Amino acid sequence: MNELRFETLWKFPATLAIAVAGGAVFHLAGLPAAWLSGAMILVAAATLAGVPTVMPNKFRDGLFVLLGISMGAGVQPEVVERVSEWPLSMAMLLLVVVGVTIAGYCVLRYAAHWQKETAFFGAIPGTLAYVIALASERRADLPRIASTQSVRLFFLIALLPFAVVSTTDTDASITVSRYTSDLWDYAIGVPLCILGSLLAVKVRFPGGWMTGAFFTSAGLNASGAVHLVLPESIVLICMVAMGALIGCRFNEMTFREFVSVLSASVSAFAAAFSVSVAGAGFVSWMIDIPFGQALLAFAPGGLEVMTLMAFVLDLDPAFVAAHQIVRFTGMVLLLPAITLITIGRAPQSSDATGHTSTIATPDKPMT
């Protein structure tokens, strides 16, 4: 046990150093979502090359709490108020989320012949951190899930700006107010979010560390009583750490095995994205809004990334943020029940080493 702790003491800082280096390289190259994608790709490459990487469970749980707080910051009062302005697009959003999930699942389950649980989590659109939090509690094939989710995120970030610019005449439009937090907001909000996470974990709510913090942060921000917005420096650190966490998931997969799942991941993304494009096109025609704006709202990407793209491309960020928030919130609310119905309750884990490879996978049992 002492030897394992000693190994973790040097492997963990080394893992973070690799992640920072990857994020810095991508940032200097001007690539999108640089700190997240750069950290993820370099840590994954190092892991596949045989470099020992690790993400201790306690650090992972703390990271999920911070990410939950950050995501909840998008639920501001004016965004909540404007949700009622778009009933048709909100209804269409539900159909698109269901269609995207089914399309991706069918490809992974029946074309690629992935195990049921792995295909399910691999097909869930967006909310990468939440999916990882859910899958971490179960005996799913985490490397495959990370692969297909990472491929989806990469293609979204790489392709969406070009798709939006080429199909949309951008004009200045309504913006979402940006809030900052003071010491009072943090003193009230952070302890409440931690308490929310602890309660969610206590009742074994799926993804409890992130889910509890998200709902607490969202409720506080939506009320307007507290503006709990993490500093950009903290969010950046979380992005690097999240990239490192995803990269560590490849420690049970060889490079050859990664290449073997790449085709399935790309195919699943293509099927799912086609559903998003069709839904966005229909809504754009029905309520006369720019196609790119609808596409950003329906794309299975993160709230912060999609909203940021709306700001940069002079589209309506409130529309995009509201739909992404509703999509994420709806998934957080419904996925636990859907997961329990389709897969069952998560098994108890006895992991205490801090390693990320302690949950056996059905496709590749641990030895």
Side-chain angles (χ1 to χ4, degrees):
M1 180 65 67
N2 290 334
E3 182 180 354
L4 288 174
R5 291 178 178 174
F6 177 75
E7 289 181 359
T8 302
L9 284 177
W10 71 264
K11 287 180 181 179
F12 178 47
T15 301
L16 292 182
I18 295 172
V20 171
V25 169
F26 273 52
H27 176 70
L28 292 175
L31 297 176
W35 293 102
L36 172 64
S37 58
M40 174 187 68
I41 290 174
L42 194 58
V43 172
T47 303
L48 290 170
V51 176
T53 57
V54 68
M55 182 64 64
N57 287 341
K58 290 185 178 180
F59 183 88
R60 177 202 65 189
D61 295 340
L63 171 63
F64 285 154
V65 171
L66 290 175
L67 287 170
I69 293 174
S70 178
M71 291 178 178
V75 189
Q76 299 295 343
E78 66 270 29
V79 175
V80 176
E81 292 171 1
R82 296 193 62 196
V83 169
S84 61
E85 297 179 15
W86 310 296
L88 177 61
S89 60
M90 287 296 176
M92 191 64 191
L93 176 65
L94 173 62
L95 297 178
V96 168
V97 170
V98 173
V100 163
T101 304
I102 292 175
Y105 177 83
C106 288
V107 171
L108 297 176
R109 176 64 173 156
Y110 301 111
H113 305 292
W114 285 16
Q115 189 263 353
K116 180 179 180 180
E117 191 171 63
T118 303
F120 174 75
F121 286 112
I124 295 173
T127 62
L128 175 60
Y130 183 54
V131 170
I132 293 296
L134 284 173
S136 296
E137 302 172 348
R138 298 178 173 272
R139 299 185 182 278
D141 191 329
L142 296 177
R144 287 192 178 189
I145 294 169
S147 296
T148 190
Q149 292 285 350
S150 299
V151 167
R152 173 192 54 77
L153 183 62
F154 174 81
F155 276 100
L156 276 175
I157 295 172
L159 297 178
L160 268 182
F162 300 101
V164 171
V165 171
S166 63
T167 59
T168 305
D169 293 326
T170 58
D171 297 305
S173 54
I174 303 170
T175 61
V176 177
S177 300
R178 295 185 176 183
Y179 295 91
T180 57
S181 301
D182 55 27
L183 291 178
W184 177 253
D185 293 320
Y186 290 129
I188 296 296
V190 173
L192 287 176
C193 287
I194 294 175
L195 178 60
S197 293
L198 291 172
L199 290 175
V201 171
K202 181 69 174 179
V203 300
R204 296 185 64 195
F205 197 86
W209 290 109
M210 178 179 292
T211 305
F214 168 77
F215 278 122
T216 305
S217 175
L220 292 172
N221 282 288
S223 70
V226 175
H227 301 305
L228 188 57
V229 181
L230 295 181
E232 292 184 5
S233 58
I234 300 298
V235 175
L236 185 147
I237 293 172
C238 288
M239 292 297 101
V240 173
M242 188 64 199
L245 173 62
I246 300 169
C248 288
R249 299 299 180 183
F250 292 89
N251 60 7
E252 287 296 313
M253 176 175 282
T254 66
F255 181 75
R256 178 175 295 181
E257 289 170 335
F258 170 72
V259 172
S260 70
V261 305
L262 189 59
S263 176
S265 300
V266 172
S267 299
F269 166 77
F273 190 63
S274 298
V275 175
S276 295
V277 170
F282 176 77
V283 168
S284 175
W285 173 67
M286 284 295 295
I287 64 177
D288 191 26
I289 62 172
F291 171 76
Q293 180 174 306
L295 184 58
L296 286 174
F298 286 3
L303 164 66
E304 293 152 332
V305 175
M306 296 301 107
T307 306
L308 177 60
M309 286 189 183
F311 274 111
V312 172
L313 298 172
D314 290 325
L315 296 169
D316 188 346
F319 180 90
V320 175
H323 285 72
Q324 290 289 344
I325 289 169
V326 168
R327 177 181 63 81
F328 179 80
T329 304
M331 291 177 65
V332 172
L333 287 171
L334 297 177
L335 271 177
I338 295 173
T339 301
L340 290 175
I341 293 172
T342 58
I343 300 175
R345 189 172 293 276
Q348 293 284 355
S349 173
S350 59
D351 175 38
T353 65
H355 290 273
T356 60
S357 60
T358 55
I359 298 179
T361 66
D363 296 317
K364 183 180 178 181
M366 290 180 61
T367 56

